[in-house]
């Protein structure tokens, strides 16, 4: 009987020695037990009790406990962080100029203009080439002089100061109304993809500023976002059918003032004009004298269809009750006009709102 008890103690001791001799195996067993029971502390306590029992029966080392082994924690999987953006730009540049910043086709002043970035306009900086930056803003990609562009923290701080909330139309035809309901007069219609300055988000309706006038658009038909002004494409008028020297000269003269101030009632191309003050002063340079009111200017010249418009013709727009805005057609489906105090003199799609009529003042 004594021999049988001694044999059992020896076998138990052999098991403990073999396990402690192979720590990786012990760790695997302990980790497996932990995975099943989910409680390392309870498992360790059971192992200790087993060792104590063996020591009481004359085990190899009285008081020996199984080594504490913990399963290695799983490595945390981290998703790559998305680059921080400011008003949609990841490498922001902000035009630090009084009026506008020329965007050129190449990195040098000898290259043609492809667009203009207005004061506080935003752009994505694509690369640096000497003292020039290649940028992308709106539909314009080109080069600007680096000394006129804020970057880094300075650009981010400036963007926070000047950014505005913009409503972008997301439906083929969007109606702007005089009141926030569908029973009132339609102010005008706008195509998809046009931006409008937001005055107030009222929930179901959004109050917006269209060329200095307040109107309303149904919230489902626009997407709201915080934006900086974008660069405007610069269309050079080419000689050809229906484009006379005087038309080319007038359009190029008008575009020199892009980025200058809008002032209600103003008549100064450098210190501030409103829409009719702008057209009045531009045409004055070419011997054509117009009154300082958009609706009155529509009575001058010859009416033509919008599809027949030539550079230098005037586009008039209505607010639903009468003509309240005028712009100069510059070709390729674009107009230049004094829009709002926020945007100043700018280039827009000629059909950014439905034209009420088009008139021709210049001879062919």
């Amino acid at each position: 009987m004594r021999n049988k008890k001694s044999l059992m103690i020896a076998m138990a001791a052999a098991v403990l020695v073999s396990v402690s001799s192979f720590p990786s195996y012990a760790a695997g067993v302990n980790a497996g037990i932990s995975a099943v029971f989910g409680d390392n502390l309870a498992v360790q306590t059971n192992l200790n009790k087993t060792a104590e029992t063996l020591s009481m029966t004359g085990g190899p080392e009285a008081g020996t406990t199984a080594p504490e082994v913990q399963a290695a924690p799983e490595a945390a999987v981290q998703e790559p962080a998305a680059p921080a953006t400011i008003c949609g730009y990841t490498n922001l540049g902000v035009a630090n100029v009084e009026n506008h910043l020329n965007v050129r086709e190449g990195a040098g002043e000898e290259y043609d203009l492809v667009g203009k970035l207005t004061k506080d306009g935003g752009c994505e900086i694509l690369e640096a080439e000497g003292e020039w930056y290649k940028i992308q803003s709106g539909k314009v990609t080109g080069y600007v002089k680096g000394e006129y562009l804020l970057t880094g923290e300075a650009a981010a701080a400036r963007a926070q100061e000047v950014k505005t909330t913009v409503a972008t139309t997301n439906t083929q035809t969007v109606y702007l109304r005089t009141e926030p309901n569908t029973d009132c007069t339609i102010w005008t219609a706008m195509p998809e993809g046009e931006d409008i300055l937001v005055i107030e988000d009222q929930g179901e309706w959004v109050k917006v500023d269209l060329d200095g006038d307040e109107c309303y658009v149904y919230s489902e038909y626009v997407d709201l976002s915080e934006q900086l002004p974008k660069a405007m494409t610069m269309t050079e008028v080419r000689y050809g059918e229906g484009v006379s020297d005087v038309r080319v000269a007038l359009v190029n003269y008008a575009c020199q003032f892009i980025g200058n101030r809008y002032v209600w009632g103003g008549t100064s191309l450098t210190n501030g004009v409103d829409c009719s003050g702008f057209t009045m002063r531009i045409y004055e340079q070419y011997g054509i004298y117009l009154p300082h009111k958009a609706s009155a200017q529509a009575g001058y010249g010859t009416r033509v269809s919008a599809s027949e418009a030539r550079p230098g013709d005037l586009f008039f727009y209505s607010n639903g009750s009468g003509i309240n805005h005028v712009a100069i057609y510059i070709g390729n489906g674009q107009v230049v006009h004094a829009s709002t105090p926020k945007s100043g003199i700018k280039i827009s799609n000629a059909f950014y709102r439905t034209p009420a009529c088009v008139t021709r003042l210049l001879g062919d």
Side-chain angles (χ1 to χ4, degrees), residues 34-319:
S34 299
V36 174
F37 292 101
D39 191 344
N40 286 338
L41 181 60
V43 171
Q44 184 62 51
T45 300
N46 290 336
L47 290 175
N48 290 346
K49 287 182 178 179
T50 301
E52 290 172 2
T53 301
L54 289 173
S55 66
M56 291 175 62
T57 59
E61 281 190 75
T64 299
T65 61
E68 182 176 350
V69 181
Q70 294 182 348
E74 294 183 4
V77 178
Q78 295 183 348
E79 294 293 333
T85 63
I86 302 173
C87 296
Y89 300 103
T90 57
N91 191 14
L92 174 67
V94 176
N96 187 28
V97 290
E98 284 300 318
N99 292 318
H100 62 264
L101 177 58
N102 289 330
V103 185
R104 297 188 177 273
E105 195 173 39
E109 294 182 358
E110 70 275 16
Y111 289 94
D112 292 335
L113 293 180
V114 294
K116 291 193 175 187
L117 189 60
T118 59
K119 178 182 179 180
D120 295 324
C123 65
E124 186 74 28
I125 300 175
L126 303 177
E127 60 183 62
E129 189 170 324
E131 61 179 354
W132 293 79
Y133 285 119
K134 185 177 182 180
I135 60 105
Q136 192 275 327
S137 178
K139 298 179 180 179
V140 177
T141 300
Y143 293 81
V144 299
K145 261 199 166 180
E147 63 183 290
Y148 301 115
L149 208 62
L150 296 176
T151 62
E153 293 183 1
R158 186 61 178 158
Q160 292 300 319
E161 295 176 3
V162 302
K163 66 183 180 181
T164 57
T165 302
V166 170
T168 303
T169 54
N170 59 23
T171 305
Q172 187 172 8
T173 302
V174 176
Y175 294 116
L176 275 64
R177 297 181 178 272
T178 55
E179 299 292 338
N181 60 69
T182 56
D183 297 326
C184 67
T185 303
I186 294 175
W187 187 287
T188 191
M190 299 186 76
E192 185 176 359
E194 292 294 330
D195 291 337
I196 327 165
L197 182 64
V198 172
I199 298 174
E200 181 184 5
D201 181 1
Q202 300 181 347
E204 187 177 11
W205 292 85
V206 180
K207 188 178 183 180
V208 296
D209 179 343
L210 182 63
D211 297 327
D213 290 307
E214 296 179 358
C215 46
Y216 299 84
V217 59
Y218 195 56
S219 60
E220 286 190 10
Y221 301 144
V222 292
D223 297 320
L224 303 186
S225 61
E226 291 184 331
Q227 293 188 21
L228 297 172
K230 298 183 181 72
M232 296 169 285
T233 57
M234 193 67 191
T235 304
E236 289 190 15
V237 180
R238 305 295 183 186
Y239 287 91
E241 184 179 353
V243 184
S244 61
D245 289 356
V246 69
R247 289 181 182 276
V248 172
L250 184 144
V251 167
N252 287 337
Y253 178 65
C255 288
Q256 290 179 19
F257 303 102
I258 291 171
N260 285 6
R261 295 174 60 204
Y262 174 99
V263 173
W264 173 257
T267 59
S268 171
L269 293 170
T270 53
N271 296 324
V273 289
D274 58 14
C275 66
S276 59
F278 176 64
T279 53
M280 180 181 74
R281 290 303 185 210
I282 296 299
Y283 275 89
E284 188 178 80
Q285 285 292 113
Y286 297 88
I288 299 173
Y289 300 92
L290 299 171
H292 189 192
K293 190 174 182 181
S295 59
Q297 289 182 7
Y300 286 68
T302 303
R303 296 282 179 102
V304 297
S305 68
S307 61
E308 297 173 334
R310 296 172 182 170
D313 291 346
L314 293 179
F315 271 61
F316 293 90
Y317 304 92
S318 171
N319 63 2

